[in-house]
Amino acid sequence: MGKLESLNPGRVFYYFEEIASIPHGSGNTKEICDYICNFAKNNSLKYHRDSAGNVIIYKEASSGYENSPSVILQGHMDMVCEKEDDVVFDFEKDGLRLCVDGDNITAEGTTLGGDDGIAVAMILAALEDKELKHPAIEAVITTDEEIGLVGAKALDMSLISSKRLINIDSEGEGVFLTSCAGGVDCDSSFELEYKPFAGECFLLSVKGLEGGHSGSEIDKERANAITLIGRALGMLSESVSFEIFEVSGGQKTNAIPRKTVALIAAAPEDVDRLISKIDEIDGIFRNEFRVTDPGLRVSISAAERFDRVLKPASKASVLSFLRLLPQGVMGYSKEISGLVETSLNPGIMKCEDGKFIVYTSIRSSVLSKKEELLEKIRVLTAVCGGSMTSFGDYPGWEYNPESLLRPIFAETYKELTGKESKLEAIHAGLECGLFAGGIDNLDAIALGPDLWDIHTPGETLGISSTERTYNLICRVLEKLK
């Protein structure tokens, strides 16, 4: 018996549990792609699978809807893979361990994959339902959305005939998204040179941060572990002599990093001052972020011995870049109160193959400001002795004042729940921008059930909210005649 078997709507949660049992992190989606294709075959539905792993499933209109314009149901099959430090889990092989607590679903020690597994589950349930009344459906399930909308960028839009898009990749029941920011990722790379060193070796850690989605939760002003350890190392260098072997942390550019570490070394006579200074820095950071990141800790412990450290020029490049690298909200919209316009999130930092590399995500709803922030990072990187490359550029999704989907969803939500819905723009990137760029006169809306703390091990999906959201989608499909 499945853990979600007793939940409603039954088929939605059946498919969500099936999806959760299949490893489907970004870059590891072949198995989930196979599952979706087999679903289409088993339900005698025409489908197309492209070389990028995207799947389009076509379902003919139900009786009486043959002359109605078709509609796209869209979500993505990959998930962000994050886990708690003490959890033993292999995202390449293990199925998620689901937990039900009252009206919520979580995964034991890991991300849940509600973003965007619940969309795929809803889409499969709707495609399977022979009683559902609807126009022709083109179900588009993309791959590798979480690492730069890779699947959507590769999608051949000529395979899609509909000009109405229902994107199910949002988090907040009754909140309908009408536009989103564009974005670009970049990596700043520095060549490293080393020298021999004999001294006491330590592991400096910044951990216990809240993290979160680098788009939708950037406005919460949570600490970023990459820039924070850069600040800690900079503060340390002001009064203590120490050396650096390597620094690392973060797992995804679109997730605010929760933990970073640095392997550092000091001469025996400097150890006491080193430890004392770390304690001081810990107190400063804990005070500054006591509201947003109450679990934050800066600590130092003995490390396995290493016999080389960065040469002065390499050390200076690392310290300068990390100390000067901005993060968080860079500006708010002047048109929509409270909407983040431009932001930057350093998401991954590592030392490998003789290089120090930091991967950063830039988002903005204004193209020129996105380009200007990218240029600032390029200049900063060059000044600190490195080089920068950009990748994963994706467009924003502009507001459509003539949308027909918005009033239908607002009216239907009120009918089903008795509550007013909200229309919002979002700072996070959505695939709607790519669809709008490839399909003329597209009418699009994005929605989803309540999801909290996505891209973190605390990710939570609301059960009753899922039922209401699925019923809403089904009722709107019935109205699209």
Side-chain angles (χ1 to χ4, degrees), residues 361-378:
S361 173
I362 295 170
R363 304 175 191 264
S364 183
S365 53
V366 179
L367 176 61
S368 60
K369 292 195 174 183
K370 180 180 76 172
E371 293 174 341
E372 173 62 15
L373 188 51
L374 183 65
E375 179 63 11
K376 284 185 177 181
I377 300 303
R378 186 195 68 77

Side-chain angles (χ1 to χ4, degrees), residues 237-254:
S237 68
E238 295 168 1
S239 58
V240 181
S241 178
F242 70 97
E243 304 294 339
I244 300 174
F245 174 55
E246 68 175 37
V247 287
S248 62
Q251 297 185 15
K252 306 288 180 181
T253 58
N254 60 359

Side-chain angles (χ1 to χ4, degrees), residues 254-287:
N254 60 359
I256 302 169
R258 299 179 295 115
K259 175 184 177 182
T260 49
V261 297
L263 287 170
I264 62 175
E269 61 270 21
D270 294 317
V271 169
D272 288 344
R273 279 186 297 161
L274 178 74
I275 295 174
S276 176
K277 187 65 177 179
I278 293 300
D279 288 341
E280 179 186 332
I281 292 170
D282 175 60
I284 292 171
F285 289 178
R286 288 170 63 180
N287 177 62

Side-chain angles (χ1 to χ4, degrees), residues 4-23:
L4 310 186
E5 190 170 340
S6 62
L7 304 182
N8 289 316
R11 296 307 287 174
V12 171
F13 284 113
Y14 166 80
Y15 283 116
F16 185 70
E17 190 159 13
E18 288 276 289
I19 292 164
S21 72
I22 302 169

Side-chain angles (χ1 to χ4, degrees), residues 47-74:
Y47 74 96
H48 174 82
R49 175 180 188 165
D50 66 18
S51 59
N54 299 306
V55 180
I56 304 175
I57 303 176
Y58 305 89
K59 185 180 183 184
E60 294 182 357
S62 56
S63 178
Y65 288 76
E66 294 87 352
N67 297 322
S68 303
S70 59
V71 63
I72 304 164
L73 296 181
Q74 194 264 318

